[in-house]
């Protein structure tokens, strides 16, 4: 069964039409990358998937179940992990509390789950060192790792990553890339990635290219030609 | 020594009344950012709840337990104000999140409605109404855990509301026939009489500590400690702090923000009710009793730094001690041969109301220099 399927998603900000008839699918264990220049609606699409924005028309299915008209917390519990642009760490909560909040998406929420799974610290060892620190005091790269770890603790079926390498030093970009790869291999979840970094884009299985709110090209990343790259990536 | 001790005690006593009154507001205003002008009226409801509880305990059946009514009253007041607060959040404030001016006006309107309500509705009927609301809101939650299937959801709701209404009406008529004092509407102030163990004082080191004041200090202490524990240690506390700091992301993590709003507002309002118990022990209770505390509450929360519980605690105790120092003219006692003009100025401010004027003026001046209060939020996320 297809993990995520969208049909004809149309999203508006007020009267301006942002997303036009987006059809997209992600399979289990697959990494799909959404590329396109700034302002074409990639983040808007992810926000429509998690439920922060409500599409005016169209359908979203997660493993065949409709997510339409569900609120973000219900979609999170249904199995979508969201790592937003800008990380959105809860600033005055400690790293540990931020991680605990990731488990709210599990059945029973925090009340039933109080122990942080240690595989998180295998993937991102730096987090163990900073458990008692305030989330807002971490560096950008550390916050990004925390945001991904937090999303993973909810055992999502689908992980939405919005520009995880934006404004982060190169060696941490490497860490994040290999971590995402490892998660897909070990957990078999699907990943929908919005990315500008060509190196990271090449790791995905398939790509969708967006222009002015619509999907204009799609295919396997191995077939991604230099022409397409020049056209859709701002690098 | 004796003077310092006495001054300190009086200051702490005044401060703890301020603190218990401001504690609920520190949650509602400080954490949620909702300007609730009806907070004072929620206190008033708590005070009236104490009055009714006391009258019920005077009935022959409960008379042997009369001395314990204050403890029961605290729970009752917490529930009453909490339920009214939740109702207020669901019906009015929820629609106005992010519009502080409209919230301010709407809650001011609600405060006037509540004041008129206690004037023109017999207290017994009010109590019946609250009991009906409480049961109507609670029964579906309790019952739906018993019957898991959602098919009967509508019937459960309907059934529990009708049972709740019935019990409410029965309570109202029962109360109004057995206690004639609350069977008729009255706009006059009422008096809560403290149980005998709370009258008088304890003599220590040559100073008399009034027991009422000690009880209020203890109530405040317990409330502050339990709120601190709840916010910092409990699961719901983590959720509340997450939602107040980043609402949309908390939603995306799987936290039901609506439930958190209801709970936070309910607890803040319930604490106003507990404050009402303390207020009713100090003086007579009337429809306007809340209005005289609300300004002080906002002052305390702003002075302490919005969103900072420790700041609220320190702010209220410092205001309390300052009030005693100025209001009781203690500076003159400490330094009797003060130069003439200074002495007359100190003497001029040596009444409770003039001390209030001076302290509020000082706070206004202080906030000119430190607009974020005593303990502003720090860290790299403040600017973002």
């Amino acid at each position: 069964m297809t993990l995520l399927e969208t049909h004809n998603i149309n999203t508006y900000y007020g009267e301006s039409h942002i997303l036009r008839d987006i059809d997209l699918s992600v399979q289990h264990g697959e990494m799909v990358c959404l590329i396109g220049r700034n302002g074409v609606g990639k983040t808007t699409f992810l926000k429509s998937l998690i439920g922060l924005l409500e599409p005016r028309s169209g359908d979203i299915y997660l493993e065949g179940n409709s997510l339409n008209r569900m609120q973000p917390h219900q979609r999170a519990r249904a199995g979508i992990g969201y790592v937003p642009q800008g990380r959105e760490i809860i600033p005055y909560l400690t790293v540990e509390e931020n991680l605990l909040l990731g488990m709210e998406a599990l059945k029973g929420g925090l009340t039933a789950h109080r122990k942080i799974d240690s595989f998180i610290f295998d993937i991102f060892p730096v987090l163990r060192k900073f458990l008692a620190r305030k989330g807002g005091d971490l560096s950008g790269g550390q916050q990004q790792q925390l945001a991904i770890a937090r999303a993973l603790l909810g055992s999502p079926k689908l992980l939405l990553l919005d520009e995880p390498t934006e404004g982060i030093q190169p060696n941490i970009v490497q860490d994040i890339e290999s971590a995402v790869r490892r998660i897909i291999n070990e957990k078999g979840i699907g990943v929908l990635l919005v990315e500008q970094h060509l190196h990271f884009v090449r790791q995905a299985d398939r790509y969708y290219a967006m222009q002015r709110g619509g999907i204009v090209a799609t295919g396997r990343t191995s077939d991604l030609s230099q022409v397409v790259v020049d056209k859709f990536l701002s690098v | 020594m004796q003077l310092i001790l006495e001054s300190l005690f009086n200051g702490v006593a005044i401060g703890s009344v301020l603190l218990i009154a401001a504690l609920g507001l520190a949650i509602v205003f400080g954490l949620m950012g909702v300007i609730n002008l009806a907070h004072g009226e929620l206190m008033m409801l708590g005070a009236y709840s104490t009055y009714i509880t006391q009258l019920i305990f005077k009935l022959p059946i409960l008379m042997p337990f009369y001395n314990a009514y204050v403890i029961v009253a605290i729970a009752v007041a917490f529930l009453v104000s909490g339920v009214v607060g939740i109702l207020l959040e669901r019906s009015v404030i929820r629609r106005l999140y992010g519009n502080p001016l409209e919230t301010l006006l709407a809650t001011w309107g609600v405060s006037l409605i509540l004041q008129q309500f206690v004037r023109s509705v017999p207290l017994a009927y009010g109590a019946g109404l609250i009991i009906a609301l409480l049961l109507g809101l609670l029964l579906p939650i309790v019952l739906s855990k018993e019957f898991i299937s959602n098919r009967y959801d509508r019937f459960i709701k309907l059934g529990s509301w009708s049972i709740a209404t019935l019990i409410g009406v029965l309570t109202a008529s029962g109360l109004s026939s057995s206690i004639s004092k609350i069977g008729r509407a009255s706009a006059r102030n009422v008096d809560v009489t403290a149980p005998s163990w709370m009258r008088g004082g304890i003599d220590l080191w040559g100073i008399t500590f009034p027991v009422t004041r000690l009880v209020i200090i203890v109530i405040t202490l317990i409330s502050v400690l339990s709120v601190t524990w709840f916010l910092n240690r409990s699961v719901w506390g983590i959720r509340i702090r997450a939602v107040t700091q980043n609402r949309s992301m908390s939603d995306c993590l799987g936290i039901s923000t609506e439930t958190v709003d209801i709970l936070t507002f309910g607890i803040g309002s319930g604490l106003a009710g507990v404050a009402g118990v303390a207020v009713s022990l100090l003086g007579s209770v009337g429809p306007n009793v809340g209005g005289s505390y609300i300004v002080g509450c906002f002052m305390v929360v702003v002075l302490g730094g919005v969103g900072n519980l420790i700041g609220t605690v320190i702010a209220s105790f410092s205001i309390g001690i300052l009030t005693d120092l100025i209001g009781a003219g203690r500076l003159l006692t400490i330094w009797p041969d003060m130069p003439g003009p200074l002495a007359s100025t100190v003497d001029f401010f040596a009444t409770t109301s003039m001390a209030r004027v001076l302290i509020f003026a000082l706070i206004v001046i202080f906030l000119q220099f430190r607009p974020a209060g005593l303990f502003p939020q720090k860290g790299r996320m403040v600017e973002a």
Side-chain angles (χ1 to χ4, degrees):
Chain A
M1 193 190 290
T2 319
L3 176 60
L4 174 82
E5 247 188 300
T6 70
H7 295 301
N8 298 321
I9 295 288
N10 282 283
T11 302
Y12 292 72
Y13 279 125
E15 278 312 300
S16 52
H17 197 166
I18 307 295
L19 296 181
R20 294 161 195 272
D21 296 328
I22 306 253
D23 286 334
L24 179 147
S25 68
V26 179
Q27 307 291 332
H28 288 276
E30 189 185 37
M31 181 160 155
V32 172
C33 188
L34 197 58
I35 56 177
R37 291 181 180 273
N38 289 333
V40 297
K42 305 183 298 289
T43 297
T44 307
F45 180 62
L46 291 197
K47 283 187 175 171
S48 305
L49 288 180
I50 187 68
L52 286 175
L53 295 170
E54 200 182 334
R56 201 170 283 184
S57 67
D59 297 299
I60 304 169
Y61 296 100
L62 189 73
E63 293 187 322
N65 301 317
S66 172
L67 295 185
N68 300 352
R69 281 202 293 282
M70 271 191 179
Q71 291 189 318
H73 64 267
Q74 293 166 318
R75 297 188 193 201
R77 289 175 197 172
I80 299 186
Y82 178 50
V83 180
Q85 202 171 19
R87 280 89 60 176
E88 309 273 334
I89 296 300
I90 316 286
Y92 297 110
L93 261 56
T94 62
V95 170
E96 188 176 8
E97 286 166 333
N98 267 288
L99 288 172
L100 283 171
L101 282 175
M103 297 193 285
E104 279 285 278
L106 297 173
K107 198 168 161 35
L110 257 188
T111 328
H113 305 270
R114 296 305 298 267
K115 199 163 161 18
I116 298 169
D117 193 338
S118 64
F119 88 93
I120 287 304
F121 303 122
D122 291 348
I123 302 175
F124 301 117
V126 70
L127 293 181
R128 193 194 289 276
K129 233 174 31 191
F130 293 129
L131 274 181
R133 247 201 240 180
K134 292 259 183 293
D137 293 341
L138 297 188
S139 75
Q142 290 158 351
Q143 286 192 357
Q144 188 66 60
Q145 299 181 27
L146 174 56
I148 296 175
R150 181 177 68 179
L152 287 176
L153 280 170
S155 303
K157 296 165 185 156
L158 172 71
L159 188 64
L160 307 177
L161 292 171
D162 198 348
E163 306 227 6
T165 62
E166 186 195 27
I168 285 171
Q169 69 225 61
N171 62 328
I172 295 186
V173 171
Q174 292 259 308
D175 287 351
I176 290 175
E177 276 185 39
S178 55
V180 170
R181 200 65 255 178
R182 193 178 146 191
I183 295 154
I184 296 172
N185 292 340
E186 282 177 19
K187 306 256 167 192
I189 64 174
V191 172
L192 179 59
L193 172 76
V194 167
E195 187 52 67
Q196 299 277 358
H197 237 262
L198 183 59
H199 186 263
F200 204 170
V201 172
R202 291 238 181 253
Q203 306 228 338
D205 302 303
R206 284 190 300 130
Y207 75 90
Y208 287 88
M210 279 182 82
Q211 204 168 42
R212 282 195 232 102
I215 304 271
V216 288
T218 174
R220 303 207 65 79
T221 12
S222 44
D223 306 331
L224 200 58
S225 66
Q226 198 56 45
V227 185
V228 178
V229 168
D230 287 344
K231 196 168 170 199
F232 296 111
L233 286 182
S234 54
V235 197
Chain B
M1 180 61 206
Q2 194 180 334
L3 190 75
I4 294 172
L5 209 64
E6 198 181 339
S7 188
L8 203 66
F9 175 75
N10 280 332
V12 167
I14 299 170
S16 58
V17 176
L18 269 176
L19 178 55
I20 185 81
L23 193 59
L25 202 70
I27 292 175
V28 168
F29 176 53
L31 290 180
M32 296 178 82
V34 172
I35 300 177
N36 181 14
L37 282 189
H39 192 80
E41 275 59 42
L42 292 171
M43 282 170 65
M44 177 221 21
L45 288 183
Y48 271 105
S49 310
T50 316
Y51 175 65
I52 294 176
T53 313
Q54 178 219 348
L55 288 181
I56 292 174
F57 268 80
K58 273 192 180 154
L59 290 176
I61 327 161
L62 287 170
M63 200 58 202
F65 310 105
Y66 182 75
N67 279 339
Y69 87 82
V70 175
I71 295 157
V72 179
I74 291 174
V76 171
F78 185 88
L79 278 180
V80 168
S81 300
V83 165
V84 175
I86 286 173
L87 227 65
L88 175 65
E89 198 270 342
R90 289 284 83 185
S91 55
V92 179
I93 292 173
R94 183 169 63 131
R95 293 160 215 279
L96 297 173
Y97 280 134
N99 305 319
L101 275 179
E102 286 80 353
T103 314
L104 192 141
L105 282 174
T107 51
W108 184 55
V110 169
S111 80
L112 295 180
I113 293 173
L114 287 175
Q115 284 181 20
Q116 195 55 41
F117 180 85
V118 294
R119 281 199 197 101
S120 50
V121 175
L123 290 176
Y125 296 178
L129 181 67
I130 300 265
I131 284 177
L133 285 174
L134 192 65
L135 284 176
L137 290 176
L138 276 181
L139 274 180
I141 300 171
V142 177
L143 287 179
S144 65
K145 271 184 191 142
E146 301 282 317
F147 312 98
I148 314 287
S149 93
N150 281 333
R151 253 187 317 158
Y152 304 114
D153 202 37
R154 196 167 291 182
F155 296 105
I156 290 175
K157 265 198 178 145
L158 193 73
S160 50
W161 273 108
S162 36
I163 293 172
T165 317
L166 188 71
I167 294 178
V169 170
L170 285 178
T171 318
S173 58
L175 278 180
S176 60
S177 60
S178 54
I179 307 168
S180 60
K181 265 190 200 168
I182 55 177
R184 255 171 290 109
S186 146
R188 246 178 290 156
N189 282 14
V190 294
D191 281 304
V192 172
T193 41
S196 53
W197 60 272
M198 270 171 68
R199 289 181 218 138
I202 298 170
D203 289 306
L204 268 182
W205 307 296
I207 314 166
T208 313
F209 296 99
V211 181
T212 325
R213 296 264 171 186
L214 286 173
V215 169
I216 292 175
I217 292 173
V218 170
I219 293 175
T220 308
L221 204 67
I222 293 172
S223 308
V224 171
L225 288 179
S226 29
V227 166
T228 315
W229 176 87
F230 179 77
L231 284 179
N232 289 322
R233 289 276 171 273
S234 75
V235 171
W236 280 104
I238 297 182
R239 289 181 187 139
I240 289 174
R241 281 182 295 147
V243 170
T244 50
Q245 289 172 37
N246 191 335
R247 174 170 291 269
S248 59
M249 191 59 219
S250 304
D251 202 355
C252 292
L253 286 171
I255 302 172
S256 165
T257 50
E258 265 189 29
T259 318
V260 168
D261 286 340
I262 295 175
L263 189 80
T264 316
F265 207 85
I267 287 173
S269 309
L271 284 170
V274 176
V277 179
V279 166
S280 73
L281 294 174
L282 287 176
S284 69
V285 176
N288 298 324
V289 73
S292 45
Y293 284 91
I294 186 79
V295 177
C297 290
F298 273 105
M299 277 293 190
V300 166
V301 175
V302 172
L303 179 64
V306 172
N308 190 329
L309 222 55
I310 299 166
T312 307
V313 173
I314 292 173
S316 47
F317 283 133
S318 17
I319 291 179
I321 290 172
L322 266 181
T323 310
D324 185 63
L325 277 181
I326 301 167
R330 294 210 190 269
L331 290 175
L332 276 175
T333 332
I334 296 167
W335 185 19
D337 32 72
M338 208 181 279
L342 196 60
S344 60
T345 316
V346 170
D347 197 42
F348 176 69
F349 284 109
T351 61
T352 317
S353 47
M354 282 316 285
R356 232 168 119 92
V357 170
L358 185 63
I359 285 168
F360 280 1
L362 287 177
I363 293 175
V364 169
I365 293 167
F366 177 81
L367 289 177
Q368 297 295 314
F369 295 102
R370 307 262 317 250
L374 285 168
F375 301 97
Q377 298 275 29
K378 286 194 287 275
R380 53 191 279 182
M381 296 304 288
V382 172
E383 293 81 19

